[in-house]
Amino acid sequence: TLLALFASGFGFVLAGPETSLCGAAVSDLVAAHPDTQGDVSATAFSLVNGIGAFGPLVQGSVAVIVVGAWGWGGLFWVLAGLCILSAAMLLPVAREEAPRGGGAGLG
């Protein structure tokens, strides 16, 4: 029972803030879009969380395939590459959101 209590605690600490932050970010994006009609925040939030749930579904199989092909070092290189790809995909948004005319912006 102690293990179940710890697992529940970890789930609460990880899933709670992730869901809250995801919901806030999606609501901000939907509110900022000029063509939004009605309240589509719930639909957008569900879509984002649904896509986000896909990773844990396939991570075990993908990790086994990568480790079998290239070893543990290869798995960490794949993860590093995915992190770099994610950062590169966010760079245009960061440049657009950066403050203009001074400050520590990217643009």
Side-chain angles (χ1 to χ4, degrees), residues 10 12 14 28 31 39 41-43 48 57 63 72 75 78 88-89 93 102 105:
F10 284 129
F12 179 77
L14 294 175
D28 285 348
D39 187 12
S41 295
T43 303
V48 168
L57 287 174
W72 284 101
L75 178 65
V78 167
M89 291 173 69
V93 176

Side-chain angles (χ1 to χ4, degrees), residues 31-52:
H33 198 278
D35 295 333
T36 302
Q37 295 179 351
D39 187 12
V40 296
S41 295
T43 303
F45 177 72
S46 300
L47 181 65
V48 168
N49 266 349
I51 292 170

